[in-house]
Amino acid sequence: MKILFLVFHGFDAFNGISKKIGYQIEALRILGHQVELGSLVVDERGRWKRMGGDRVVEDLGAGIVGKLKKRWRYGSLARYIVEDGFDFVYMRSDHNANPFTIRMARRVRRAGIAMVMEIPTYPYDQEYRTLGLKEKTELAIDRIYRRALARQLRAVVTFSDLSSIFGQRAIRISNGVSFERIPVRREHDPVRGEVHLVAVADISFWHGFDRLVRGMAVYYTCKQRSADVYLSIVGRGRAETLDELRRTVRQNGLERWVRFTGPLFGEALDREFDRADMAVGSLGRHRSGISYIKTLKNREYAVRGIPFVYSECDSDFERMPYVLKAPADESPLDVGALVAFCSGRRFSAAEIRESVRFLSWENQMRKVLDESLKTA
């Protein structure tokens, strides 16, 4: 098939979302389909452009005019989809349901083209509680129109365990991984009396890394501890979240044991995993009202072959022996239990990696296509 993978933003080499989209597109191509990326870019003159692959679908202009047009001008995109003969549209939700996206989707549907919409995290309303008025206004518009947008789709793609979302049937998949792009970590002998942790994210309040820092503060008040615990926090994030994390580290005198590396990729990121004994997933998804989710980060940790801790329910990992579950609440993380977990057993990186072979992006995207086209 000829497939358009449609997003409503640009790309960043440091960004995990951008890498995920690249893996999904690569998987669709491995499955034998012709795939183009529909995206937004800003050129060197500050002009917003809607792109279809390398082709400019529409020049939306610069400044405030361009920013406004990118939110409501979708006619050229609909024409591009219909006239260029696409068979399938995979749209990644930007929480942007409105009359204009509905009109675009309706035209695509009436042309007989199958369209699905991936909702990366659901529910998502509570993620906006710490954001500004502009974002909250956009969410209010989305809440009015999202069921109407869903009616124009063949299905909604979700990483939750729900069978329907916004009144539309849901195709339930797992966040996949690219085994070709993510290397297995180099195993090392543990350093006696030390445990090294790595936490990688585009850091937001729902990652809950403050729970780990507070847990370390409690742990370091214990006179009888079996190991020194070191934490590397990798990535960037919202300024207020990072500032609060750094403040908590300073207030508890943890500067010696907690380091903030900023965003890393390639060999620099690989080295962080090679020296770590355990990785840290999300510890605060409950803050967004989410209990069940299949995060990309858990899967990337497993493909790298490193044990990890998280607090949500993830059906792909609940029974895995290399996973430590934390309670989904606001308590400081029990760092003593984490140390005992790391000290009490050894896990083969290759075996951890092999345990999630079924989570390849090829398998996940094949499921989307198969389920989407059943009613065709």
Side-chain angles (χ1 to χ4, degrees):
M1 292 190 296
K2 186 174 182 180
I3 298 174
L4 179 68
F5 197 111
L6 177 61
V7 300
F8 299 95
H9 54 75
F11 289 84
D12 181 344
F14 293 110
N15 187 279
I17 294 171
S18 298
K19 289 190 285 187
K20 168 188 168 179
I21 291 167
Y23 297 154
Q24 289 176 290
I25 291 173
E26 180 181 56
L28 288 168
R29 288 173 176 159
I30 290 172
L31 292 173
H33 303 288
Q34 178 186 345
V35 187
E36 290 186 12
L37 172 65
S39 64
L40 279 170
V41 300
V42 183
D43 69 12
E44 65 280 359
R45 296 177 297 163
R47 299 186 69 85
W48 290 91
K49 294 180 179 180
R50 199 175 299 283
M51 305 295 294
D54 296 327
R55 168 182 166 186
V56 178
V57 174
E58 184 174 9
D59 186 333
L60 300 169
I64 188 66
V65 173
K67 290 182 178 179
L68 289 173
K69 284 184 176 180
K70 73 174 184 175
R71 299 185 181 279
W72 61 268
R73 283 183 66 97
Y74 294 99
S76 60
L77 177 61
R79 287 193 298 275
Y80 164 67
I81 294 170
V82 174
E83 295 175 4
D84 270 47
F86 285 96
D87 304 296
F88 190 90
V89 177
Y90 189 97
M91 177 171 67
R92 191 177 195 275
S93 170
D94 199 30
H95 309 165
N96 57 337
N98 58 50
F100 311 108
T101 51
I102 291 170
R103 186 178 302 133
M104 180 268 294
R106 182 183 296 120
R107 182 170 177 183
V108 170
R109 177 179 61 81
R110 288 176 174 173
I113 301 167
M115 176 182 255
V116 300
M117 180 173 70
E118 174 191 310
I119 301 180
T121 302
Y122 183 85
Y124 53 80
D125 289 0
Q126 290 192 25
E127 292 184 0
Y128 284 74
R129 66 184 177 88
T130 61
L131 302 183
L133 179 61
K134 172 178 170 290
E135 291 82 4
K136 290 179 179 177
T137 300
E138 292 171 355
L139 175 64
I141 296 170
D142 177 81
R143 292 178 72 174
I144 293 170
Y145 291 104
R146 56 198 182 189
R147 293 182 74 88
L149 176 60
R151 284 196 293 270
Q152 307 305 318
L153 307 172
R154 188 65 63 85
V156 170
V157 178
T158 181
F159 304 103
S160 72
D161 289 334
L162 297 172
S163 58
S164 67
I165 294 178
F166 305 149
Q168 179 60 270
R169 72 183 177 104
I171 299 172
R172 292 171 288 186
I173 66 171
S174 294
N175 260 306
V177 281
S178 174
F179 285 80
E180 294 75 19
R181 299 295 183 90
I182 301 175
V184 65
R185 73 188 182 108
R186 296 175 182 172
E187 297 190 64
H188 64 275
D189 291 328
V191 179
R192 185 176 179 83
E194 295 182 3
V195 172
H196 293 261
L197 310 175
V198 61
V200 183
D202 292 319
I203 303 162
S204 297
F205 74 97
W206 60 78
H207 288 111
F209 294 160
D210 58 289
R211 293 185 61 198
L212 174 53
V213 174
R214 288 188 284 118
M216 290 178 67
V218 173
Y219 178 77
Y220 276 107
T221 63
C222 300
K223 293 182 179 179
Q224 294 183 341
R225 54 180 185 267
S226 58
D228 286 338
V229 178
Y230 296 87
L231 169 63
S232 295
I233 298 177
V234 180
R236 52 191 177 189
R238 294 187 63 82
E240 58 267 30
T241 304
L242 282 171
D243 289 346
E244 181 61 29
L245 271 176
R246 290 191 175 99
R247 186 160 46 248
T248 304
V249 169
R250 289 195 304 271
Q251 289 173 346
N252 291 282
L254 296 172
E255 293 94 334
R256 175 183 170 187
W257 294 286
V258 181
R259 57 193 281 264
F260 295 84
T261 72
L264 300 175
F265 68 105
E267 292 183 359
L269 180 59
D270 296 342
R271 284 194 294 271
E272 290 294 331
F273 281 104
D274 291 345
R275 68 168 62 101
D277 301 296
M278 191 169 191
V280 183
S282 298
L283 300 173
R285 285 287 177 179
H286 60 279
R287 297 172 178 176
S288 299
I290 293 173
S291 299
Y292 298 90
I293 191 172
K294 298 178 179 180
T295 66
L296 181 60
K297 191 57 58 186
N298 290 349
R299 284 140 188 83
E300 290 182 343
Y301 287 159
V303 171
R304 284 191 180 268
I306 188 168
F308 54 96
V309 56
Y310 65 85
S311 66
E312 69 271 7
C313 291
D314 186 330
S315 58
D316 292 326
F317 291 104
E318 294 297 291
R319 299 181 183 277
M320 293 298 189
Y322 51 82
V323 166
L324 177 66
K325 285 295 297 290
D329 57 31
E330 291 302 308
S331 62
L333 191 69
D334 187 343
V335 174
L338 190 151
V339 170
F341 183 85
C342 290
S343 303
R345 62 196 77 184
R346 293 290 303 275
F347 300 101
S348 160
E351 288 177 359
I352 295 175
R353 182 181 176 94
E354 197 60 31
S355 74
V356 291
R357 185 66 63 175
F358 70 100
L359 290 174
S360 71
W361 270 122
E362 293 95 307
N363 286 335
Q364 302 307 311
M365 299 309 289
R366 181 186 292 111
K367 182 176 181 180
V368 170
L369 297 181
D370 291 346
E371 293 291 323
S372 300
L373 301 176
K374 274 184 178 179
T375 59

